Amino acid sequence: MGELRLMKGNEALAEAAIRAGTDGYFGYPITPQSEVIEYLMAEKPHERTGMVVLQAESEVASINMLYGGGGTGKKVMTSSSSPGISLMQEGLSYMAGGEIPCIVANIVRGGPGLGDIQPAQSDYFQSVKGGGHGDYRLPVLAPASVQEMSDFVPIAYELAFKYRTPVLIVSDGLIGQMMEKVELFDQMPRLTDEEINEKYPWGTNGKPKGQERRILTSLDLDPHKLEKHNFKLQEKYRTIEENEVQYELIDCEDAEYIIVAYGSSARISQKAVQLAREEGIKVGILRPITLWPFPKNAIDELVVGGVKGFLSVEMSAGQMVEDVKLTVRERTKVDHFGRYGGVIHSPEEVLEALKSKIIGG
Amino acid sequence: MSDIAIVDIIKPENLVYEKTKLMTDKTLSYCPGCGHGTAHRLMMEVVGELGQENDTVGVAPVGCSVLAYEFMNVDMQEAAHGRAPAVATAIKRLWPGKMVFTYQGDGDLAAIGTAETIHACNRGEQIVIVFINNGIYGMTGGQMAPTTLPQMKTSTSPYGRDIQTMGNPLKITELVAQLPGTYYVTRQSVQSPAAARKAKRAIKKAFQNQLDGKPGLSFVEIVSNCNSGWKMEPVQSNEWMEENMFPYYQLGDIKVDGKLL
């Protein structure tokens, strides 16, 4: 058993970054995720593993530091919250185009605009539909506990390097700020420069003797060549869709109704399911762990299995519900419930919405 | 002389100059008469002379030199517009033993990338920034740059730059020289063999500083021409540069060994 600690979600993310063998963290403070860089600065990871931590002048600089560092084959990571993540969209698009691995954690807060500093899930569209310009997708992991804030870091690196892509960890201010027991995984060694060169020969860290130089760019002025590059990217996205979907089914064996919820909403919905079952309503939860690729097949199987309705519970005005609808294709009832703008729904509200919008609706 | 064939002259013992080894064979995409090609060559000569071919990472900008990575035969990354100093910061921090440089134009470095430029300089990142200042946006077709001179005509200042409404030309090189994080700041040009030789010495000093682990960033501005954007013949553009750009952007060292001159 790993080391047990009581930690905030943001702290667990930071500790996991050190333990996952991150080479460089580049970040900029923003509520409700500032504990990440505060923890890292206090922890002196340079002394523990040699990891570099740098406070950048902006989120724009942070994401471009990831471009530079990730482009050399190093493990790099940043974290921010919604307005800061908006500033990073240019960089994410460039990194998707240049196929540069990295982790970007978004501790989502209420929006639009400066919004507020309370938890929200209203960055779903931005996370799974692109965010920046151009045809690209990013794998998105959605932790629902402090434990997963830690566990998902090495998983995200694995995906990032396997597919040479930025990977998003999309959490929210509730999970970032709350304290839970977490079992930390053991320290993983940082790769040596020689190991990096062996594993990632594309890394631009100095032309190897007697070999061609390496170039990292997202530019190709020849439209036919750029289309070919896009074909390659799309092929990669199809592979990810086929192989990397992750989800959890909770109480779905006998369920007549399904709540689709991720992150904090999945936690709240667990209590709503308990209340519903006390009243004899058979309801379960499908929790997407990867928001993209979206667990379409799992939803499809539930539809085929005779589920009478789906309620997408999100702390947003209804974003993920569009993907649920696209999958269900009007074969059964789908609706959305959620408080937003930083307001967190209660289990009672979720149960009430299930009754009014799906069961009685 | 007329009796001697060319093949008799081209012999190793007569060789005084050869193609820069660290320039690729790709034809330069720059307009004939432009200073970019000379600046590229000088930098790659320096990297070669310092024996850093296998230990150098360059960062190209957005602008005319967006394709610099096609010509410079070292490992290269192409950065988003203005972000090269942030990109280079991480490369150097994560590979402190490597030589890292950015190559940026005036729009890239002194307009959209001002924050990244100032903060990389202020942190004293041990990188080299080579800044090509031709007072115009060349690649997009000759629009006004932060360094465009007063009354200078561009496609977005067609009646000349009115400093009352369009601001003053930004002397960002003098600005970064004020920051404790810069170790060497100089302004050069490459329009003549004599100027190019001086510029090469400056570039070499900048890279040598990094190689020696000198504390701080080395910043080399090269005032250059843009004959196409300025709508002039190449020779005329160099004369115009000497008469108009040099009085405003005065050549020479501004800060050496961490001390303002």
Side-chain angles (χ1 to χ4, degrees):
Chain A
M1 188 156 184
E3 187 188 344
L4 284 178
R5 269 202 236 169
L6 183 67
M7 299 180 100
K8 279 188 171 192
N10 288 335
E11 293 167 347
L13 183 83
E15 177 60 31
I18 302 171
R19 291 181 182 232
T22 301
D23 296 300
Y25 173 95
F26 304 88
Y28 186 80
I30 182 172
T31 311
Q33 70 78 50
S34 298
E35 292 86 356
V36 181
I37 191 166
E38 286 172 351
Y39 182 94
L40 287 172
M41 286 294 187
E43 200 57 32
K44 294 186 184 168
H46 195 77
E47 291 176 9
R48 279 175 58 180
T49 68
M51 172 182 171
V52 171
V53 183
L54 192 146
Q55 181 170 334
E57 62 270 31
S58 66
E59 291 89 347
V60 174
S62 311
I63 194 73
N64 285 284
M65 288 172 183
L66 261 56
Y67 182 102
T72 65
K74 295 271 185 179
K75 277 184 180 169
V76 290
M77 176 172 168
T78 188
S79 58
S80 186
S81 181
S82 309
I85 298 290
S86 289
L87 283 171
M88 293 183 185
Q89 294 305 321
E90 174 198 45
L92 284 168
S93 168
Y94 276 65
M95 292 175 90
E99 299 189 272
I100 299 177
C102 71
I103 297 178
V104 176
N106 182 3
I107 314 302
V108 182
R109 63 188 241 184
L114 205 47
D116 56 23
I117 57 172
Q118 278 74 31
Q121 296 181 309
S122 43
D123 296 354
Y124 178 89
F125 283 155
Q126 185 191 54
S127 307
V128 308
K129 307 286 182 188
H133 58 282
D135 275 320
Y136 76 93
R137 298 279 189 171
L138 302 177
V140 183
L141 295 168
S145 61
V146 174
Q147 183 66 52
E148 287 185 344
M149 289 288 269
S150 166
D151 293 347
F152 284 5
V153 173
I155 295 171
Y157 274 132
E158 208 176 304
L159 287 171
F161 280 88
K162 185 175 174 186
Y163 295 104
R164 283 186 64 182
T165 175
V167 173
L168 303 184
I169 294 177
V170 172
S171 184
D172 60 64
L174 187 56
I175 293 167
Q177 292 294 326
M178 73 181 179
M179 293 185 90
E180 284 186 316
K181 184 179 75 179
V182 54
E183 184 187 345
L184 297 166
F185 56 87
D186 293 338
Q187 178 67 50
M188 301 173 180
R190 284 176 56 235
L191 295 183
T192 63
D193 291 353
E194 292 70 31
E195 286 169 333
I196 287 171
N197 282 326
E198 200 174 304
K199 289 182 81 152
Y200 314 124
W202 44 263
T204 50
N205 51 50
K207 179 169 70 172
K209 282 199 173 67
Q211 291 179 35
E212 288 291 298
R213 75 195 195 288
R214 284 80 55 94
I215 295 168
L216 274 184
T217 181
S218 58
L219 174 77
D220 202 323
L221 292 170
D222 178 339
H224 295 285
K225 283 190 187 161
L226 187 63
E227 189 189 38
K228 232 172 134 180
H229 175 61
N230 268 278
F231 287 157
K232 191 183 127 198
L233 291 180
Q234 292 302 319
E235 187 57 42
K236 172 164 87 179
Y237 300 145
R238 274 192 291 278
T239 308
I240 295 172
E241 281 184 318
E242 280 163 23
N243 298 301
E244 306 299 345
V245 174
Q246 287 190 58
Y247 60 90
E248 185 187 8
L249 294 172
I250 304 163
D251 296 332
C252 287
E253 297 80 15
D254 62 342
E256 295 179 342
Y257 305 99
I258 299 291
I259 289 172
V260 187
Y262 68 93
S264 289
S265 281
R267 295 287 290 277
I268 295 160
S269 297
Q270 271 176 271
K271 181 70 184 172
V273 165
Q274 194 189 325
L275 296 175
R277 285 191 175 261
E278 281 166 14
E279 294 181 23
I281 303 168
K282 288 179 180 170
V283 55
I285 297 171
L286 185 148
R287 174 171 82 95
I289 293 171
T290 51
L291 302 185
W292 189 85
F294 192 67
K296 291 178 191 168
N297 291 346
I299 289 180
D300 202 64
E301 280 167 25
L302 289 165
V303 174
V304 173
V307 162
K308 292 177 185 168
F310 291 83
L311 184 68
S312 184
V313 177
E314 331 159 35
M315 295 189 291
S316 77
Q319 301 192 7
M320 182 175 68
V321 66
E322 291 191 3
D323 285 334
V324 180
K325 282 181 177 169
L326 276 170
T327 311
V328 172
R329 301 196 308 276
E330 299 187 349
R331 285 173 291 176
T332 185
K333 201 179 290 178
V334 179
D335 212 329
H336 160 263
F337 172 72
R339 303 291 300 272
Y340 42 100
V343 179
I344 305 166
H345 30 246
S346 69
E348 291 76 14
E349 285 176 311
V350 173
L351 177 58
E352 189 49 45
L354 182 72
K355 286 178 185 170
S356 64
K357 292 187 163 193
I358 303 294
I359 300 172
Chain B
M1 279 298 278
S2 58
D3 297 340
I4 305 167
I6 288 285
V7 286
D8 295 326
I9 300 170
I10 302 177
K11 288 175 178 165
E13 60 265 33
N14 293 334
L15 194 70
V16 292
Y17 192 75
E18 59 183 335
K19 178 181 164 289
T20 310
K21 288 197 185 74
L22 290 183
M23 288 291 283
T24 65
D25 291 333
K26 185 127 181 152
T27 308
L28 289 173
S29 53
Y30 303 112
C31 305
C34 168
H36 268 304
T38 309
H40 281 25
R41 176 174 62 75
L42 298 178
M43 289 171 69
M44 288 301 102
E45 282 178 7
V46 165
V47 170
E49 286 166 18
L50 293 175
Q52 296 300 302
E53 172 180 357
N54 303 109
D55 291 298
T56 296
V57 185
V59 184
V62 171
C64 280
S65 47
V66 67
L67 292 173
Y69 58 79
E70 296 274 2
F71 315 122
M72 297 180 178
N73 200 355
V74 292
D75 269 10
M76 294 283 288
Q77 295 192 6
E78 204 289 305
H81 200 18
R83 317 301 176 215
V87 170
T89 291
I91 299 172
K92 185 67 183 182
R93 292 286 186 117
L94 294 169
W95 299 84
K98 305 289 175 175
M99 197 141 80
V100 180
F101 70 86
T102 74
Y103 185 89
Q104 303 175 258
D106 40 63
D108 193 88
L109 179 140
I112 195 165
T114 309
E116 286 77 12
T117 303
I118 297 283
H119 286 280
C121 288
N122 196 46
R123 285 191 302 264
E125 299 295 342
Q126 288 188 350
I127 59 172
V128 171
I129 292 180
V130 176
F131 165 42
I132 307 293
N133 174 12
N134 57 14
I136 204 160
Y137 284 78
M139 191 195 215
T140 42
Q143 293 82 13
M144 184 176 67
T147 48
T148 296
L149 295 177
Q151 300 313 315
M152 189 172 160
K153 286 181 180 171
T154 71
S155 67
T156 53
S157 59
Y159 309 106
R161 181 177 192 162
D162 172 8
I163 59 165
Q164 297 299 321
T165 59
M166 297 169 173
N168 291 281
L170 183 59
K171 290 184 183 174
I172 197 157
T173 303
E174 276 79 357
L175 211 153
V176 299
Q178 300 299 320
L179 303 171
T182 49
Y183 186 76
Y184 176 51
V185 180
T186 186
R187 185 181 281 122
Q188 303 290 329
S189 66
V190 293
Q191 82 284 13
S192 67
R197 275 199 296 275
K198 273 184 82 175
K200 184 176 171 182
R201 279 198 295 275
I203 292 166
K204 197 161 191 172
K205 189 177 178 65
F207 278 99
Q208 189 70 51
N209 284 342
Q210 186 179 161
L211 209 53
D212 295 345
K214 298 290 187 196
L217 188 145
S218 291
F219 190 100
V220 181
E221 173 180 341
I222 294 172
V223 181
S224 192
N225 62 336
C226 178
N227 39 294
S228 296
W230 296 353
K231 306 198 189 318
M232 294 175 192
E233 300 283 329
V235 173
Q236 188 197 358
S237 75
N238 280 331
E239 288 166 0
W240 191 89
M241 174 175 72
E242 288 172 7
E243 284 164 23
N244 296 280
M245 296 281 279
F246 290 178
Y248 196 86
Y249 299 111
Q250 287 181 6
L251 303 186
D253 290 342
I254 299 169
K255 191 179 195 179
V256 177
D257 297 342
K259 291 182 191 72
L260 282 167
L261 298 182

